[in-house]
Amino acid sequence: MTTFRERTQESSGGSEGKLTLAEILEIFAAGRLPLKFTAYDGSSAGPEDAPLGLDLKTPRGTTYLATAPGDLGLARAYVSGDLEPQGVHPGDPYELLTALAEKLDFKRPPARVLAQVIRSVGIEHLVPIAPPPQEALPRWRRIAEGLRHSKTRDAEAIQHHYDVSNTFYEWVLGPSMTYTCACYPHAEASLEEAQENKYRLVFEKLRLKPGDRLLDVGCGWGGMVRYAARHGVKAIGVTLSRQQASWAQQAIADEGLGDLAEVRHGDYRDVRESQFDAVSSIGLTEHIGVANYPSYFRFLRSKLRTGGLLLNHCITRHDNKQGATAGGFIDRYVFPDGELTGSGRIITEIQDVGLEVVHEENLRQHYAMTLRDWCRNLVEHWDEAVAEVGLPTAKVWGLYMAGSRVGFEQNAIQLHQVLAVKVDERGNDGGLPLRPWWSA
């Protein structure tokens, strides 16, 4: 764009004029904006007729963007109300995030131009300020309060994410109260059909039958536990969220499953029973920490009888090269201490504790569809959600779920189910069938 060319061609002798906020954005975007941008200084950039846009409303928003570049700065400005999206619902900003991810590629300008940008922004906006109150405690403070993945700190991290409000989760997740990837039997299936199908798939992969015993670690609101109990399996679930455990135990009582199902509020490491026919871990591995995988899978193996099966269902990265820690927004606002790695690392760690991996599959597209439906639920119940948890927290969830949908669609993250069996010292697996025994 003309402004970009003119500004970058000016001399460095200190005669450059002050850049507007829109001009600064044009510089970093190399003049290519997929949406309309407006700012409180009266400047604007991008196509006038763009259906999507961003409105920077306050100087505080500039400080957030300048002091925490990337997703964290954007999240701070958005959650605080200093940056408002245009053309999307706050419960589902998917289209805006897709446009930013696909069409906006920030470039670092030459040093001379960068110096002019800094002068135009003003030193006062380069000094960090307090983040929005919805942000989790800073990393240094969380570390000072306990070692990563100690029982105490894990409990605090889980409570931060899951003890938002059971009522809020009921609106977002729907009747199944299942906060993990669904498995859609066909493209037009409802969320409830897909979640029921996911439990059916896990149940069949684990070869469970009436009279068997199941341990479900990180059981959430007890969906897998109740599904198993309805099919005659004695199931124990464990969660670090007190609100989840309370909701699950009430649901068990309401369904008359008390003789077969139990959900405990506690750490999975405190489960004393063993010799289970199967262990399911559906959405817990993300909270464990990669360095703790050996002890985690060793513990799960110790809970199985010989010939027993383990099903590990978790979000993974698309390769095994990237670092495990999450980005600033996810770590501060959504999943404190969460870590992801590739499915290859998951399989390696399961094998290295002596379990035999017999099957794995990627449900990446299914999670994108699940998040689509969760966002749809949030939009439908937006007014109630805001009344329940407040506007900033509701916005965090819309941003997190829509952004995660983009991540799954664009293969930045995946969802893998890994099935393994505990064999004896001679390699006997208890007589598993020669080919997959479940219905896809």
Side-chain angles (χ1 to χ4, degrees), residues 297-329:
F297 289 119
R298 191 177 301 114
F299 178 86
L300 299 187
R301 181 183 183 278
S302 74
K303 296 299 162 183
L304 287 167
R305 63 167 176 80
T306 299
L309 290 159
L310 165 69
L311 189 289
N312 193 80
H313 167 121
C314 72
I315 301 171
T316 66
R317 298 203 183 278
H318 71 280
D319 61 32
N320 300 282
K321 305 174 187 177
Q322 300 181 63
T325 54
F329 166 63

Side-chain angles (χ1 to χ4, degrees), residues 147-436:
L147 296 175
R148 286 176 68 89
H149 302 296
S150 65
K151 288 184 177 180
T152 299
R153 183 158 152 180
D154 276 354
E156 292 174 350
I158 292 297
Q159 288 160 14
H160 169 83
H161 186 68
Y162 294 104
D163 286 354
V164 176
S165 160
N166 281 338
T167 301
F168 174 79
Y169 277 111
E170 286 172 354
W171 285 323
V172 174
L173 304 180
S176 75
M177 280 295 275
T178 300
Y179 186 38
T180 49
C181 174
C183 183
Y184 289 74
H186 53 84
E188 291 74 33
S190 69
L191 175 62
E192 290 307 304
E193 288 178 280
Q195 292 293 12
E196 181 76 3
N197 186 53
K198 185 266 299 296
Y199 288 132
R200 189 272 314 162
L201 179 64
V202 173
F203 188 90
E204 290 185 8
K205 283 184 175 181
L206 291 174
R207 299 190 76 207
L208 289 166
K209 60 185 184 303
D212 282 350
R213 297 170 64 239
L214 168 70
L215 172 64
D216 185 38
V217 294
C219 67
W221 289 272
M224 185 68 215
V225 169
R226 286 180 287 119
Y227 183 95
R230 288 195 294 268
H231 292 79
V233 171
K234 186 171 180 59
I236 296 174
V238 59
T239 173
L240 282 171
S241 168
R242 188 180 300 277
Q243 289 191 29
Q244 284 183 335
S246 176
W247 192 98
Q249 279 298 104
Q250 184 61 54
I252 288 169
D254 291 345
E255 291 189 47
L257 300 172
D259 291 341
L260 290 172
E262 175 190 1
V263 168
R264 300 173 183 174
H265 172 234
D267 195 290
Y268 74 91
R269 289 164 284 196
D270 293 331
V271 173
R272 301 302 178 195
E273 295 91 338
S274 61
Q275 294 297 302
F276 287 93
D277 298 286
V279 172
S280 53
S281 172
I282 306 174
L284 177 58
T285 315
E286 299 91 329
H287 298 286
I288 295 299
V290 174
N292 296 314
Y293 284 178
S295 59
Y296 175 62
F297 289 119
R298 191 177 301 114
F299 178 86
L300 299 187
R301 181 183 183 278
S302 74
K303 296 299 162 183
L304 287 167
R305 63 167 176 80
T306 299
L309 290 159
L310 165 69
L311 189 289
N312 193 80
H313 167 121
C314 72
I315 301 171
T316 66
R317 298 203 183 278
H318 71 280
D319 61 32
N320 300 282
K321 305 174 187 177
Q322 300 181 63
T325 54
F329 166 63
I330 294 292
D331 182 63
R332 301 293 185 94
Y333 285 86
V334 186
F335 281 110
D337 292 347
E339 295 183 8
L340 300 179
T341 188
S343 59
R345 179 69 180 273
I346 299 286
I347 290 172
T348 295
E349 299 290 357
I350 290 175
Q351 291 173 326
D352 285 352
V353 302
L355 291 165
E356 180 182 6
V357 173
V358 296
H359 188 269
E360 74 87 23
E361 65 173 314
N362 183 7
L363 300 178
R364 174 173 68 89
Q365 297 290 359
H366 293 263
Y367 217 154
M369 296 167 70
T370 305
L371 288 154
R372 174 203 64 194
D373 290 345
W374 287 342
C375 281
R376 187 177 296 160
N377 285 344
L378 179 57
V379 169
E380 182 179 347
H381 296 281
W382 182 252
D383 291 341
E384 300 98 317
V386 170
E388 178 72 15
V389 301
L391 178 59
T393 297
K395 289 167 69 175
V396 164
W397 281 86
L399 181 63
Y400 153 63
M401 293 191 298
S404 296
R405 177 184 172 186
V406 174
F408 281 105
E409 286 183 346
Q410 299 187 359
N411 198 30
I413 45 179
Q414 302 177 346
L415 187 289
H416 283 262
Q417 285 191 354
V418 179
L419 181 66
V421 62
K422 181 178 180 178
V423 297
D424 66 16
E425 64 277 3
R426 295 180 178 274
N428 295 317
D429 60 13
L432 293 181
L434 294 178
R435 299 296 297 159

